[in-house]
Amino acid sequence: RSFAETQDFGMAKTIREQVKANDELSQLSYQTADMIDSMDRYVKELISTHDALDKARYDAALASLQAKRDALTGIRNKNAFVECGQAIDKRIRSIDKELDFGIVVCDVNDLKRINDTRGHYYGDEILQRASHMICDIFRSSQVYRTGGDEFVVVLAGEDFQIREELLDNLRR
């Protein structure tokens, strides 16, 4: 791309303007000018295709990210949870020793009643607060919103080691 941006393909026009004779050298100059024009069009098309490919890659990466994020809470969603489950299953099958992890399932009590009496806007706010609270408690683990009022935490690492303390914090 940088090569194409530094080249002056406008010289084809200059060649055509300066060549006045109709001899063999002039014909060769005209053919050279035609080749320069063709190269110019090709390079512009190549740059355009490259830019379109970059945009498509960016859009695909963004779509993939959005497909794994819950729009309301910003945490991982059910699609990401399924992918995580598949990765855990693969690790379990491929290692000889035990894999230390845990699953915590949480749900927001009475969300339907809250939505019915206080409105969905308030219910959404409750879900966002619940999401923040769960993420604050389980700082080293992946948190997913897997359904309307359901959250799943995949405990790993330090959170797995201190799981009883974290579960006590969640219950409060």
Side-chain angles (χ1 to χ4, degrees):
R1 178 177 202 150
S2 60
F3 169 80
E5 292 171 346
T6 61
Q7 300 306 306
D8 178 18
F9 293 110
M11 72 170 88
K13 181 180 178 185
T14 305
I15 291 172
R16 286 190 184 93
E17 290 172 352
Q18 290 181 356
V19 174
K20 302 292 185 208
N22 196 10
D23 57 13
E24 188 176 336
L25 185 56
S26 299
Q27 292 301 316
L28 188 57
S29 296
Y30 283 122
Q31 289 172 355
T32 301
D34 290 343
M35 286 186 343
I36 291 171
D37 282 340
S38 292
M39 280 184 12
D40 184 37
R41 284 190 301 275
Y42 175 75
V43 168
K44 286 177 182 173
E45 185 177 316
L46 193 58
I47 289 171
S48 175
T49 302
H50 182 270
D51 291 346
L53 184 57
D54 279 350
K55 183 179 180 334
R57 284 182 183 139
Y58 172 80
D59 290 347
L62 182 60
S64 176
L65 179 65
Q66 289 173 336
K68 296 175 187 169
R69 289 279 168 190
D70 178 63
L72 178 64
T73 62
I75 63 173
R76 294 170 181 91
N77 65 13
K78 187 173 183 175
N79 293 334
F81 177 66
V82 168
E83 194 174 278
C84 175
Q86 291 168 344
I88 289 172
D89 188 48
K90 185 177 180 180
R91 285 189 62 203
I92 289 171
R93 293 175 191 273
S94 68
I95 61 176
D96 293 331
K97 62 180 184 168
E98 287 185 24
L99 180 63
D100 291 334
F101 75 96
I103 302 290
V104 178
V105 179
C106 312
D107 75 290
V108 176
N109 292 334
D110 300 320
L111 183 64
K112 181 178 178 351
R113 186 180 56 78
I114 292 168
N115 281 337
D116 290 346
T117 58
R118 306 272 315 261
H120 286 274
Y121 179 79
Y122 188 74
D124 288 352
E125 189 175 318
I126 295 293
L127 288 170
Q128 290 169 334
R129 287 182 185 183
S131 171
H132 289 295
M133 179 192 71
I134 295 167
C135 289
D136 285 346
I137 291 171
F138 300 101
R139 293 180 185 268
S140 299
S141 298
Q142 297 176 9
V143 180
Y144 303 86
R145 181 175 175 213
T146 58
D149 66 345
E150 298 166 351
F151 296 87
V152 175
V153 182
V154 178
L155 292 174
E158 182 183 342
D159 282 357
F160 180 77
Q161 301 304 320
I162 60 170
R163 62 190 174 273
E164 293 303 324
E165 177 185 334
L166 296 176
L167 290 170
D168 287 342
N169 290 343
L170 181 64
R171 289 182 192 109
R172 283 187 231 149

